[in-house]
Amino acid sequence: MELLKGFLCFLLPLALLQLLLALVRRGRSSTQRLPPGPISLPIIGNFFQLGNKPHRSLTRLAQTYGPIMSIKLGQLTTIVISSPTMAQEVLQKQDISFSNRFIPDAVRAHDAHKLSIIFQPVNDRWRSLRRLSYTHIFSGRVLDATQHVRRKKVEELMTYVRKCCHQGKTVNVGRAAFLSSLNVLSNTLFSVDLADSERDEARDFKELVWNITLEAGKPNMVDYFPALRSIDPQRIRGRMSLYFLKVTSLFGKMIDKKMEMKTFLRDISESDVMDMLLKISQENTNEVDRDQLVQMCMDVFVAGTDTTSSTLEWAMTELLRHKTVMENAKNELKQVVGDGKQVEESDIDKLPYLQAVIKETMRMHPSVPFLIPRQVYAEVNLCGYKIPKDAQVLVNVWAIGRDPDIWESPMQFKPERFIDSKIDVRGQDFELIPFGAGRRICPGLSMAMRILSTMLGSLINSFGWKNEGDIKQENLDVEVEEKFGITLQRANPLLAVPTPI
């Protein structure tokens, strides 16, 4: 951060000298028809207006400049979308023009972007990998077949919390959810635990995922000043290269072990997702090869752990702040599931209030407040404005979720707003799109909702909860500070004490 400040201070004198030229260009820009936006300083653009919580500062700017706004971040033109109507234009009606991803320099480390389903452009290779991941990991058929894995991991989470309850210990809610999500994915793909085991590679992997999300969430000067790419002044790409190398090495070893087992035991059954994917790879390497399988694993694990755990942590935070909501959720669970019992996936559809709690959490605390940024590769017209080639496009779902023109009392946590409402999170209702929408909607949506519902429901149905130190209700607001990064997390972890029911 000190390096970033120093660099900006160095550029500021040059920026001021060129301000007059910028204003002249601004006057001529009417022919370009860029969306409206604040005047930017030369070279550095609007950096100083972002602050350390850009989702909030861009929301405030949108109140002045409208639901489609342009800002300048260094040399990068950025378009900010802040309404459901504009989001639908970008993600659905004109999604082919906005379907490619902006590739952060951090993701270019170890050439991860070249194989990543998340960052590859929409082409035949992307479609093939997307279809493969959905068919064999995230389809309803596969999720039904692997629900025993998720049930077991939720049961293990309950065992851990029960132990903390008996010993009077606090639970780091986000960390516990992260480890459970990690083991759900590792057992689904490899039939092994990658957390809470004695194996060194399990502990190493847990740290690697945390480090990757940390580095990917940092502002990187190279993204806004491409000329700095060869220098990598913050060393973000250098550290990410090391992390990616370790992760790909770990997954590569796990895949190679499975390949060896298939070589010596030709009649081995497909016991998990990776067995099936390896069978497909061996039958047709053009469909998917080893390197693509390794990258697919990294995409699934990095994207599927931090987002799920942060959403569950925010949900528990809001339930602890709103005792009536907690009581309502507990009463529903008691009636449908039974007091103190673990929630099964077959119970989810019978728990509308629990689902409303999760939707309300995603409305107020979307795990990825700007979704994954898009980039246009050719000039495109959007609602009468010209979006220039290579512009970055941010969809501010945090702003949409708190827009008073859309939501009544948007700053209040009110799950009741979703009772008898048809609004869902599956990409058709643009007031609530925490997983995105269109052809690049998150493929893990259904798995995430199953994990969140069973984990959150089981936690609040099996235990009473209080904040560490028994913080008074009226003082809870000051504890809920945000930390902006690749996901929107609490600045301080939620430490809660489980109590017997």
Side-chain angles (χ1 to χ4, degrees):
M1 184 56 70
E2 291 301 320
L3 177 61
L4 180 61
K5 291 179 180 178
F7 189 77
L8 292 179
C9 289
F10 173 77
L11 290 176
L12 185 57
L14 294 177
L16 293 175
L17 288 175
Q18 296 185 32
L19 180 57
L20 181 59
L21 291 176
L23 291 173
V24 171
R25 287 196 298 269
R26 189 81 181 185
R28 294 200 304 257
S29 66
S30 59
T31 58
Q32 299 175 4
R33 296 283 299 167
L34 271 175
I39 293 177
S40 61
L41 291 173
I43 301 180
I44 61 175
N46 301 104
F47 265 124
F48 290 133
Q49 292 172 280
L50 290 187
N52 60 359
K53 296 177 182 177
H55 58 297
R56 290 181 177 270
S57 54
L58 289 180
T59 298
R60 288 192 293 270
L61 286 172
Q63 292 169 359
T64 300
Y65 296 101
I68 176 171
M69 173 178 67
S70 63
I71 61 173
K72 199 78 170 177
L73 300 176
Q75 297 175 354
L76 180 65
T77 298
T78 298
I79 308 300
V80 184
I81 303 299
S82 305
S83 77
T85 302
M86 291 294 105
Q88 186 174 16
E89 286 288 335
V90 168
L91 302 179
Q92 185 184 75
K93 294 182 178 180
Q94 298 190 56
D95 71 326
I96 189 61
S97 298
F98 296 92
S99 60
N100 288 333
R101 302 292 199 190
F102 174 79
I103 302 175
D105 189 67
V107 179
R108 296 179 185 274
H110 207 57
D111 287 336
H113 64 292
K114 294 181 179 179
L115 297 175
S116 171
I117 302 174
I118 298 173
F119 291 99
Q120 277 193 53
V122 172
N123 53 28
D124 290 343
R125 175 77 279 178
W126 175 84
R127 292 185 186 92
S128 177
L129 291 175
R130 172 91 173 190
R131 182 172 57 251
L132 197 69
S133 64
Y134 177 78
T135 302
H136 298 287
I137 304 177
F138 299 120
S139 69
R141 173 185 58 81
V142 173
L143 291 177
D144 288 342
T146 57
Q147 63 179 298
H148 66 283
V149 172
R150 296 183 293 278
R151 181 191 303 116
K152 181 180 179 182
K153 295 306 145 186
V154 173
E155 183 179 328
E156 290 173 1
L157 173 63
M158 295 304 106
T159 300
Y160 166 73
V161 175
R162 194 170 293 113
K163 181 179 178 181
C164 293
C165 180
H166 292 159
Q167 297 176 352
K169 292 183 177 179
T170 61
V171 174
N172 185 323
V173 174
R175 183 177 184 275
F178 179 89
L179 297 179
S180 295
S181 301
L182 183 59
N183 280 340
V184 164
L185 294 174
S186 63
N187 276 273
T188 300
L189 267 71
F190 292 101
S191 301
V192 298
D193 281 348
L194 273 178
D196 277 351
S197 77
E198 297 301 320
R199 295 161 52 235
D200 289 339
E201 59 185 19
R203 292 193 296 271
D204 291 345
F205 183 77
K206 181 177 61 180
E207 293 302 317
L208 281 172
V209 173
W210 281 112
N211 286 332
I212 287 171
T213 57
L214 177 67
E215 294 292 344
K218 291 179 179 178
N220 191 347
M221 295 299 296
V222 178
D223 291 331
Y224 311 119
F225 300 96
L228 298 175
R229 184 167 294 163
S230 61
I231 302 174
D232 188 20
Q234 295 164 258
R235 303 302 304 153
I236 290 177
R237 192 180 345 111
R239 291 188 294 271
M240 287 288 271
S241 293
L242 178 61
Y243 300 147
F244 284 165
L245 179 61
K246 289 182 177 180
V247 172
T248 54
S249 176
L250 172 62
F251 284 132
K253 289 177 182 178
M254 295 173 72
I255 290 172
D256 289 343
K257 286 181 182 179
K258 278 193 167 287
M259 293 176 68
E260 290 175 8
M261 290 178 63
K262 284 184 172 293
T263 300
F264 291 105
L265 301 172
R266 295 184 181 277
D267 295 330
I268 188 171
S269 60
E270 283 80 35
S271 60
D272 52 45
V273 168
M274 189 52 63
D275 287 330
M276 180 59 69
L277 293 176
L278 284 173
K279 180 181 179 181
I280 294 171
S281 176
Q282 291 171 344
E283 291 174 351
N284 183 4
T285 55
N286 290 327
E287 182 76 10
V288 61
D289 60 26
R290 178 186 177 279
D291 290 343
Q292 289 165 335
L293 287 176
V294 169
Q295 183 62 47
M296 185 183 295
C297 289
M298 185 158 69
D299 288 344
V300 169
F301 277 86
V302 174
T305 50
D306 204 41
T307 53
T308 301
S309 59
S310 64
T311 299
L312 188 136
E313 186 176 30
W314 279 116
M316 285 293 291
T317 297
E318 294 293 356
L319 288 170
L320 287 168
R321 294 177 61 218
H322 300 87
K323 290 186 177 180
T324 301
V325 176
M326 176 75 89
E327 290 171 3
N328 290 341
K330 281 180 170 291
N331 288 337
E332 180 185 67
L333 287 161
K334 183 177 180 179
Q335 293 173 11
V336 175
V337 180
D339 203 11
K341 292 184 179 179
Q342 181 174 321
V343 176
E344 303 290 342
E345 292 185 8
S346 58
D347 298 322
I348 294 175
D349 289 340
K350 296 174 279 189
L351 297 167
Y353 195 82
L354 178 67
Q355 294 304 299
V357 169
I358 294 173
K359 290 178 183 178
E360 182 72 342
T361 300
M362 291 179 170
R363 178 188 72 82
M364 293 195 71
H365 308 286
S367 58
V368 187
F370 294 130
L371 302 180
I372 304 295
R374 306 293 182 100
Q375 186 174 43
V376 295
Y377 284 83
E379 184 181 276
V380 60
N381 184 289
L382 179 64
C383 298
Y385 297 109
K386 294 291 184 183
I387 311 301
K389 179 179 181 293
D390 293 332
Q392 176 185 225
V393 181
L394 304 178
V395 179
N396 191 347
V397 294
W398 190 92
I400 294 172
R402 298 186 180 223
D403 189 339
D405 293 332
I406 304 169
W407 306 98
E408 181 181 352
S409 305
M411 304 308 293
Q412 295 182 22
F413 188 80
K414 295 171 56 178
E416 291 77 12
R417 73 176 80 242
F418 290 106
I419 301 298
D420 298 326
S421 170
K422 295 182 180 180
I423 295 178
D424 202 1
V425 299
R426 300 185 179 274
Q428 298 302 312
D429 303 294
F430 288 84
E431 306 95 325
L432 188 68
I433 47 171
F435 295 97
R439 71 188 66 205
R440 301 211 75 148
I441 191 172
C442 174
L445 185 158
S446 294
M447 178 184 280
M449 292 302 292
R450 294 190 187 208
I451 295 172
L452 280 168
S453 299
T454 54
M455 201 181 295
L456 178 63
S458 298
L459 284 172
I460 62 180
N461 193 43
S462 302
F463 307 95
W465 291 91
K466 62 180 183 178
N467 284 274
E468 185 182 31
D470 197 21
I471 300 173
K472 293 182 179 180
Q473 187 75 15
E474 61 268 22
N475 294 331
L476 280 176
D477 285 346
V478 299
E479 302 297 317
V480 193
E481 274 294 316
E482 299 167 331
K483 178 175 63 175
F484 182 87
I486 192 172
T487 55
L488 190 63
Q489 300 179 340
R490 284 176 52 115
N492 301 303
L494 175 61
L495 303 177
V497 181
T499 59
I501 56 173

